[in-house]
């Protein structure tokens, strides 16, 4: 079990003191928790977690961004050039810090990117922590409602643990000489809908009718990553089975039944899907009108989404 000092920051005085402490750290791990992440208009950042060392002791400060705080104070540590920010999947966290708070985090060491550059296939935080740190992450709070106040002890521990493990993973990667340099691009921060959404997808015609023209279907299909196609297939084949959080968690954990079969066919049995990457792809599929949230807050495919899946599904399905 990983030991660290945990502090909840929910008032301005405590936030200002925390900022003065973290700017002296040699490295700072950053993680966030979001609500309504599948809807760009409704999405909010509920927590920002900072893990750092004071002396040799790891500490985690969990900032309640839904409290009445002046979050401009976060700009100082996040944009300070002398402090490296370690983030697991910066395409999710750093982009949302930029989108919601106009803070351009830099410099960034992306621990997921570093693992990929090191030739590893299983690069989710859970897989990396288990392999390199020998720790098991408790993911019981993955589907937690982060808008709930007051936060439970279990929620706080879960939120803090990911940040603490990211810090340890960063330290481990640097001793191995792995590089995770990540540059936040301004246009990407503003327009991002999915990590692998290509320029051809951005310029493709709007997919507003059922896919009757082959060239239209092909233009949309060209912009869908294998992960996105997997998620589209799961939602189409299992309508109403998953809410957004449940699906993002499930494809990154143990894959069983039809869900597991689809992911294995699209990505390979040994691949894993980082939760943040799954969220980006689910949000993108919603934004493109291929899946939607039902009145019971369950995911289902639209007619055009189901038609596209019929064209890309594995032949043996």
């Amino acid at each position: 079990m990983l030991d660290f000092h945990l502090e909840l920051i929910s008032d301005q005085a405590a936030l200002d003191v925390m900022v003065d402490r973290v700017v002296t750290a040699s490295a700072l791990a950053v993680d966030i928790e979001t609500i309504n992440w599948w809807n760009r208009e409704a999405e909010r950042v509920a927590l920002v977690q900072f893990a750092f060392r004071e002396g040799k002791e790891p500490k985690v400060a969990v900032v309640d961004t839904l409290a009445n705080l002046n979050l401009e104070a976060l700009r100082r540590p996040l944009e300070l050039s002398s402090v490296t920010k370690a983030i697991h999947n910066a395409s999710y966290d750093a982009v949302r810090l930029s989108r919601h708070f106009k803070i351009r985090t830099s410099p960034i060491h992306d621990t997921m990117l570093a693992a990929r550059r090191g030739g590893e296939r299983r690069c989710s935080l859970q897989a990396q922590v288990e392999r390199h740190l020998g720790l098991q992450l408790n993911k019981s709070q993955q589907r937690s409602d982060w808008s709930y106040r007051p936060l439970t002890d279990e929620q706080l521990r879960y939120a803090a643990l990911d940040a603490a493990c990211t810090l340890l993973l960063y330290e481990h990667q640097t001793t191995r000489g792995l590089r995770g340099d990540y540059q936040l691009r301004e246009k990407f921060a503003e327009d991002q809908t999915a990590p692998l959404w290509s320029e051809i997808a951005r310029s493709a015609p709007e997919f507003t009718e059922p896919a009757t023209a082959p060239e239209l279907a092909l233009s949309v299909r060209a912009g869908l990553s294998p992960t996105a196609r997997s998620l589209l297939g799961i939602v189409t084949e299992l309508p109403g089975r998953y809410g957004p959080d449940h699906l993002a968690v499930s494809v990154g954990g143990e894959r069983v039944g039809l869900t597991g079969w689809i992911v294995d066919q699209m990505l390979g049995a040994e691949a894993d899907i980082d939760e943040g990457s799954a969220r980006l792809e689910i949000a993108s599929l919603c934004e493109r009108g291929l899946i939607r949230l039902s009145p019971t807050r369950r995911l289902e495919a639209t007619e055009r989404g189901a038609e596209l899946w019929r064209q890309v599904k594995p032949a043996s399905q």
Side-chain angles (χ1 to χ4, degrees):
M1 184 174 179
L2 181 61
D3 290 326
F4 54 85
H5 180 269
L6 169 61
E7 180 181 3
L8 174 63
I9 307 295
S10 57
D11 67 79
Q12 194 65 43
L15 178 60
D16 293 340
V17 170
M18 184 214 76
V19 167
D20 288 338
R21 290 163 57 200
V22 300
V23 294
T24 64
S26 58
L28 183 64
V30 181
D31 189 33
I32 67 172
E33 304 299 338
T34 53
I35 56 178
N36 298 324
W37 49 265
W38 54 88
N39 183 329
R40 178 186 287 262
E41 300 303 319
E43 180 186 67
R44 296 183 71 186
V45 176
L47 299 174
V48 179
Q49 302 94 269
F50 295 93
F52 56 100
R53 287 188 185 273
E54 286 186 333
K56 294 184 178 181
E57 183 182 2
K59 298 190 176 183
V60 181
V62 178
V63 179
D64 183 359
T65 53
L66 300 184
N68 186 24
L69 299 174
N70 178 8
L71 297 175
E72 180 65 18
L74 298 181
R75 184 179 306 278
R76 184 179 166 203
L78 289 173
E79 295 187 351
L80 189 63
S81 61
S82 61
V83 179
T84 298
K85 270 66 69 172
I87 303 176
H88 197 84
N89 194 356
S91 65
Y92 187 85
D93 296 56
V95 166
R96 272 139 192 83
L97 290 169
S98 177
R99 178 185 298 169
H100 293 283
F101 306 137
K102 307 303 180 186
I103 294 174
R104 296 186 55 79
T105 306
S106 177
I108 294 173
H109 175 102
D110 187 331
T111 49
M112 187 171 77
L113 183 59
R116 286 177 176 166
R117 287 174 177 169
E120 298 193 43
R121 186 163 176 79
R122 300 186 67 240
C123 298
S124 66
L125 182 61
Q126 187 169 7
Q128 286 289 297
V129 166
E130 181 177 349
R131 177 177 180 181
H132 296 291
L133 304 180
L135 298 172
Q136 294 283 342
L137 287 178
N138 182 353
K139 291 297 183 179
S140 61
Q141 296 295 318
Q142 276 182 309
R143 286 185 276 162
S144 186
D145 181 0
W146 297 107
S147 65
Y148 174 85
R149 296 295 182 274
L151 295 163
T152 66
D153 291 342
E154 291 78 12
Q155 284 179 305
L156 287 172
R157 173 75 186 181
Y158 168 83
L161 188 58
D162 276 4
C165 286
T166 299
L167 178 64
L168 296 181
L169 184 60
Y170 163 74
E171 294 170 345
H172 179 75
Q173 288 181 342
T174 55
T175 62
R176 296 164 56 205
L178 296 182
R179 294 188 59 187
D181 310 66
Y182 174 91
Q183 184 66 44
L184 182 64
R185 291 176 289 161
E186 185 172 355
K187 182 174 178 56
F188 188 65
E190 293 176 354
D191 300 338
Q192 177 216 38
T193 55
L196 303 178
W197 183 238
S198 63
E199 290 299 324
I200 188 173
R202 288 196 187 97
S203 60
E206 184 68 22
F207 198 48
T208 55
E209 299 295 335
T212 54
E215 62 275 14
L216 182 58
L218 286 171
S219 70
V220 175
R221 190 187 313 168
L224 292 182
S225 71
T227 298
R229 292 197 294 272
S230 299
L231 292 162
L232 176 61
I234 293 166
V235 173
T236 304
E237 299 291 346
L238 299 169
R241 169 74 65 85
Y242 294 103
D245 280 311
H246 188 191
L247 181 57
V249 171
S250 296
V251 296
E254 286 191 25
R255 299 196 294 257
V256 296
L258 183 57
T259 295
W261 186 89
I262 291 172
V263 176
D264 290 347
Q265 290 295 305
M266 291 292 184
L267 300 176
E270 297 303 315
D272 71 342
I273 303 174
D274 176 75
E275 183 186 349
S277 298
R279 288 184 174 193
L280 288 173
E281 299 287 14
I282 292 167
S284 176
L285 290 170
C286 287
E287 191 164 319
R288 297 173 212 175
L290 300 177
I291 64 176
R292 65 191 169 203
L293 205 61
S294 73
T296 58
R297 296 178 69 82
R298 299 285 177 166
L299 291 169
E300 59 187 17
T302 63
E303 289 186 14
R304 53 193 173 185
E307 176 61 28
L308 182 58
W309 171 243
R310 284 192 286 271
Q311 297 180 45
V312 303
K313 66 191 293 187
S316 59
Q317 207 281 316

